[in-house]
Amino acid sequence: MIESRSPQRPDDVVVTAPDMGRDEVAAAVRTARQAALAWTNVPAPARARALEGVAGAIEAAAAELSDLMVREVGKPLDEARAEMVRTVAIWRYYAQQGLDPDGATYPSADGRSLLMHRRRPHGVAGLITPWNFPAAIPSWKSAPALACGNAAVLKPAPEATAMALRLAGCAAPHLPEGLLQVVTGEAGTGQALVGLADVVSFTGSVAAGRAVARAATEQGVPVQAEMGGQNASIVLPDADLEQAAAVVAGAAMGYAGQKCTATSRAVVVGDPAPFTEALVAAVEALPVGDPAEPANVSGPVITAEARSVVLGAVQEARSRGGRVLAGGAPAEPGWTVLPTLVDGLDPGDRLAQEEVFGPLCVVLPAQDADGAVSIANGVRYGLVTSIFTSDLDRALELMGRVDTGMVKVNAPTSGVDFYAPFGGEKASSLGPREQGKAARHFYTWTQTITLAPSGRGDRPPSAGGTSPRG
Ligand code: NAD
């Protein structure tokens, strides 16, 4: 069995569920494959109505689901509520996207045949998700998979099991039986799913993502993996420093920094003192505590181990000459770490290179904008960069030089628009983008079709067919 516990009240066991092995996963995939065969032939408008039904059911349960999210993964209440609003919008968006053109026609070589392509579903989508966006990520994978005519088997992170089960419970009355299933368990359950699915979408850490991508590729199954980040915010001297500090503080520390898009490095061009001072003030002003209290923007990290990792990283950084400017200590109750700022480290320091996944940001000075870009790019990750400046010409130039999948100007690194392509470069991503219109390409394959005349009663094309004037 696995269990998920509240990170704020670790004695509170939110749910226990089976740690499913290969046989149970195989049974789920078999049922899903049967359901997919029928679902593929359901007309797209009817599929759209079903997904609309799912959206409505999740919307009706949104208050309960946001409370569950706060309890199970410690997401601050306002963010949890916003995630539920986004989740409903995601289902509605993909319900409609299912009605988009599913192919195109081309001029044929003989002028008489019909040459076209259409997109067809893969079958069973195996979806492996992390715990940190326990409603949005399972939804932005399963909604497009279903909209395109696939079935979906979701393997959520053990820490977010209750959320996944509850979401699937909302969807069930609106979908054919077996079309969307949850398999619960640890990494082994995910491995079994990768071995059986027809298309695999993963979000999580780099190590797990690469293992998933390797296994799927070996089986010749299309795969995408969205993984970690080590995201920089570049602050130019002409930026509104107070404003930039407030935005960076929120992006670094909100939800205890547990977002792939969190800011982990503030790269300050020129004299770092004024911005650093503003950033320390902004970080210290953030309300931290029980995520169920609407005022709080940061609560606990997900587990006791995660807290040890964050505190250990701070300790190590200290031993290498890092100065802790704010936080750096645990707080009770729950697995809380106070929002932590560190400076005095080299850009090549481990803390400025690797993802720690906690409320931790390193301040790094840069002599000029060129130096800042090379620091920002000088990590193995490539998810998102933000640039703070009031000179938009400068912003345009620098945007073209950062090597991350997403770049933002005067905006936080965190935050995702579900209708735009989302993903990173370098170690942050493997395979095609997800979300927006990109999702449709991933969850379908292309069939090119030539429809030629039978040859019986062969006759020349009619004048009406060739003259634009008719
Ligand atoms: P994780 O990699 O530990 O787990 C993710 C999922 O993969 C879980 O369901 C887990 O059980 C499963 N898993 C682990 N090893 C596996 C294997 N070998 N085969 C199959 N499945 C396996 O990640 P996590 O701790 O749940 O989430 C945090 C990580 O997710 C961070 O690195 C964060 O940056 C990343 N993340 C990335 C994005 C993005 O879109 N780029 C979004 C959110 C989180």
Side-chain angles (χ1 to χ4, degrees), residues 390-415:
S390 53
D391 179 347
L392 287 185
D393 289 347
R394 194 81 171 122
L396 269 175
E397 186 225 324
L398 297 180
M399 274 163 59
R401 290 165 53 197
V402 297
D403 62 5
T404 47
M406 296 170 288
V407 59
K408 297 182 166 190
V409 174
N410 296 323
T413 53
S414 57

Side-chain angles (χ1 to χ4, degrees), residues 210-272:
R210 288 194 170 164
V212 165
R214 255 194 314 272
T217 305
E218 250 167 40
Q219 312 213 117
V221 165
V223 58
Q224 66 183 183
E226 285 304 332
M227 298 168 282
Q230 224 299 356
N231 310 301
S233 286
I234 297 174
V235 184
L236 295 173
D238 63 12
D240 177 334
L241 295 185
E242 295 283 321
Q243 167 71 12
V247 174
V248 171
M253 311 301 176
Y255 188 20
Q258 300 170 113
K259 300 176 188 173
C260 56
T261 52
T263 302
S264 303
R265 293 172 295 154
V267 184
V268 191
V269 177
D271 176 9

Side-chain angles (χ1 to χ4, degrees), residues 101-119 441 445-452:
D102 63 355
T105 63
Y106 304 83
S108 65
D110 62 11
R112 297 167 68 194
S113 303
L114 191 54
L115 177 63
M116 55 195 167
H117 87 257
R118 66 175 173 173
R119 304 206 58 105
H441 279 256
W445 54 281
T446 299
Q447 186 170 53
T448 303
I449 301 167
T450 303
L451 195 61

Side-chain angles (χ1 to χ4, degrees), residues 19-35:
D19 186 6
M20 292 187 183
R22 204 189 143 78
D23 290 351
E24 287 146 301
V25 176
V29 171
R30 257 196 317 276
T31 313
R33 191 156 281 123
Q34 281 303 316

